[in-house]
Amino acid sequence: MKKVISALAVSAVAVSMLAFTGCGEKTDEGAIKGNYQEKTPEQLTAIINDIDAEKIFDSNAVNMGVRANFSGTTDTAGFSSSSFTVGLDYKVSASESGLGGQGSVSLKSSQTSNGHTVSSEFSGTAYTNTEFVYAASGDDKIKINLVELIDALQPNVEEKPLPSFYAASDAISIADMLAMAQQFGIKITVDDSKGVKFKLSATEETVWKIAEFVMAEGGETSVSIEQLKQLITFNAFKFDLYFALDADGKFNAASIVTNVDVSMPMPENGADVAAPVPTLSVKIKGSLEIFTHNDTVTVPDTVTGDATYVDMTDTVINMIKNMM
């Protein structure tokens, strides 16, 4: 059971730090669909005990994908504003012909200040095979030799002990997990009608409880939670984490869905205390998904045979070495 909890915890962290169609769970703007219901501690314990941690991640399964879509805005009434959108869509698979991966990335942003707006836009494609990573944006094309990169950096890789999180996670029990969820106002629901799907939902209450815990751990502070609540307003807050296993107990998909709308006063240094205080508004919405699929992904010959891709392997190796 401890191994299962560890696997789930590590997966949650991986998804948080980092996900189409295929055999992965169908999603609705990142949310993994299901009939999620609350379970008693006894029921949740039984569900997790039935999961074989050794089967969750199949070492032979390379058909994975990642998708991310995020957008956001900031606005300081009468002063400045900005906006952005980010999109990522990538798949990788292994076949008899080797490893294949392809996808796209896009980024749009704009910033307005004193009536002047600056906008930027970027889009590109990327491909991966057993030997190279290819990337292109407009007329700019580069490639990096993965084999040479790994060989060059391997001597610099030192074995280090696992972070304390991983060492501690093996001791996490169901009771510990439920206690932490209750402490921070996190709701856990499950759909075990076909395979197992977990959903962890955080709310505005979670934010304040975590802030209160951090402040208490840090000792005496000059501001209280109640004072912060007077300053910071959550007009919307949603943070859902999904993790799905198929009927055979293997990883199917994981995702994060978030929607945050927060505002707070932004007094300026030296401003007249009687002057109106501008309000900063921040909105972020989007999702990140990691999933499995059944597609065979290959790199087009028009890419591997394109001599205009500049080999940047040595440049990247030297850059990474200088950072180490």
Side-chain angles (χ1 to χ4, degrees), residues 82-273:
S82 64
S83 65
F84 76 90
T85 59
V86 177
L88 171 67
D89 211 347
Y90 197 83
K91 282 184 177 181
V92 63
S93 71
S95 63
E96 293 181 357
S97 58
L99 185 69
Q102 60 175 285
S104 62
V105 61
S106 63
L107 172 64
K108 295 181 181 180
S109 66
S110 68
Q111 184 169 357
T112 300
S113 181
N114 297 322
H116 180 64
T117 300
V118 177
S119 301
S120 63
E121 184 173 345
F122 169 85
S123 63
T125 56
Y127 303 91
T128 308
N129 61 17
T130 307
E131 186 177 8
F132 282 97
V133 171
Y134 302 84
S137 177
D139 295 330
D140 298 321
K141 301 177 181 179
I142 67 170
K143 65 180 181 180
I144 302 169
N145 190 307
L146 286 174
V147 177
E148 292 183 10
L149 179 64
I150 294 172
D151 287 344
L153 299 179
Q154 203 166 16
N156 294 317
V157 177
E158 299 179 2
E159 287 191 10
K160 298 180 179 180
L162 288 173
S164 58
F165 167 81
Y166 298 102
S169 66
D170 191 51
I172 297 176
S173 66
I174 300 292
D176 294 331
M177 183 176 67
L178 293 178
M180 285 189 293
Q182 183 176 18
Q183 178 183 2
F184 297 118
I186 299 173
K187 183 179 180 180
I188 302 176
T189 52
V190 180
D191 178 356
D192 56 345
S193 58
K194 183 180 180 182
V196 183
K197 303 173 189 176
F198 296 92
K199 179 181 178 182
L200 282 68
S201 301
T203 64
E204 176 186 346
E205 177 191 13
T206 307
V207 177
W208 292 123
K209 287 190 173 184
I210 291 176
E212 188 173 15
F213 175 81
V214 172
M215 291 171 66
E217 288 291 307
E220 186 176 347
T221 61
S222 59
V223 64
S224 68
I225 287 294
E226 293 306 317
Q227 289 174 313
L228 287 177
K229 288 183 177 180
Q230 293 295 321
L231 295 173
I232 302 174
T233 301
F234 285 98
N235 304 303
F237 187 92
K238 175 182 180 180
F239 188 93
D240 294 331
L241 170 65
Y242 297 85
F243 186 85
L245 304 177
D246 64 18
D248 295 323
K250 295 182 179 180
F251 173 78
N252 198 295
S255 69
I256 286 175
V257 181
T258 186
N259 181 18
V260 179
D261 180 349
V262 61
S263 58
M264 65 193 79
M266 292 294 292
E268 295 183 294
N269 292 332
D272 186 345
V273 292

